[in-house]
Amino acid sequence: MSDSTEHFAPPSARSPEELAARVKAMESILVEKGIISADAIDYMSSVYENEVGPQVGAKVVARAWTDPEFKARLLQDASSACREMGATGLEGDEMIALENTDQVHNLVVCTLCSCYPWPVLGLPPNWYKSPSYRARAVREPRGVMAEFGYTPAPEVEVRVWDSSSELRYFVLPGRPNDTDGLTEGELAELVTRDSLIGVSVPRTPSEA
Ligand SMILES: [Co+2]
């Protein structure tokens, strides 16, 4: 790559300890000012750390792979289809599922900040929030995907979607080959967070 300063892969300069200290400081201020209670903060963190994460989106995708009617509902109205599967909550009122096909590969970014479909993916990874990902996903999506180990065929059209606070996108990746005999649960294990963002594709059974 010619411009090494635009590389997004390394984590930000702040150490985890530094970040944790800053979060603690902000939390104390919010609690002190009575804006939020400490219990509420603990509860929300625990929900989004332990219960809501990409494993929820993986289940949604596996169901879409095995249930054509569900898939149709998901592509029609993702928020409502996800609610059927209990995937609901903050930052998920208006979600759109983008279907990858043999002709089209979709990639999601929030160029402005870090809008992300929390109910199906949990909290965004740090790289998703980085200025370089936000810029490069638009400018050179194939270069970004290559860094995640994925190279779409040259004839595949790459579409980049800019999430916002009103509309949050996630990808419905294609079902990997050689997965005919797998159960919905086994299929879900192939679906990664990165494949739901579109920087990559699901694992194959031999990779899993
Ligand atoms: Co945003």
Side-chain angles (χ1 to χ4, degrees):
M1 195 171 26
S2 58
D3 186 358
S4 61
T5 59
E6 281 298 321
H7 205 281
F8 73 85
S12 80
R14 290 189 204 292
S15 68
E17 294 75 21
E18 220 181 312
L19 280 176
R22 292 168 69 91
V23 169
K24 264 282 160 239
M26 286 191 283
E27 191 181 313
S28 317
I29 292 170
L30 290 173
V31 171
E32 233 167 70
K33 296 204 176 286
I35 294 169
I36 192 167
S37 76
D39 285 351
I41 293 177
D42 288 347
Y43 171 74
M44 291 308 295
S45 321
S46 129
V47 166
Y48 280 95
E49 259 163 40
N50 305 313
E51 290 167 40
V52 182
Q55 72 276 10
V56 178
K59 282 186 196 143
V60 169
V61 167
R63 171 127 185 241
W65 284 346
T66 52
D67 177 347
E69 288 173 10
F70 177 76
K71 178 181 163 182
R73 293 199 296 279
L74 181 69
L75 295 174
Q76 176 75 38
D77 180 347
S79 297
S80 130
C82 288
R83 261 196 305 277
E84 283 179 41
M85 298 197 61
T88 176
L90 290 178
E91 315 288 323
D93 288 345
E94 293 291 342
M95 296 190 292
I96 290 184
L98 307 162
E99 184 183 18
N100 283 351
T101 64
D102 291 341
Q103 291 80 39
V104 175
H105 180 88
N106 298 288
L107 173 68
V108 178
V109 64
C110 168
T111 56
L112 201 62
C113 41
S114 56
C115 298
Y116 197 68
W118 290 14
V120 285
L121 275 170
L123 300 175
N126 282 332
W127 57 259
Y128 184 85
K129 301 182 264 188
S130 74
S132 7
Y133 176 73
R134 285 155 38 201
R136 291 186 57 223
V138 175
R139 215 168 48 219
E140 42 157 342
R142 283 177 186 267
V144 169
M145 288 187 278
E147 282 166 33
F148 282 87
Y150 175 55
T151 305
E155 67 272 17
V156 171
E157 181 195 344
V158 175
R159 291 186 189 156
V160 180
W161 301 79
D162 196 357
S163 279
S164 69
S165 53
E166 282 84 40
L167 264 186
R168 288 150 202 269
Y169 299 101
F170 65 93
V171 175
L172 171 56
R175 179 170 171 162
N177 293 330
D178 305 318
T179 54
D180 283 358
L182 299 192
T183 64
E184 215 175 296
E186 288 165 338
L187 287 169
E189 285 171 26
L190 305 176
V191 183
T192 60
R193 175 196 67 199
D194 293 354
S195 69
L196 288 154
I197 301 174
V199 289
S200 185
V201 288
R203 299 183 290 180
T204 62
S206 57
E207 285 166 342

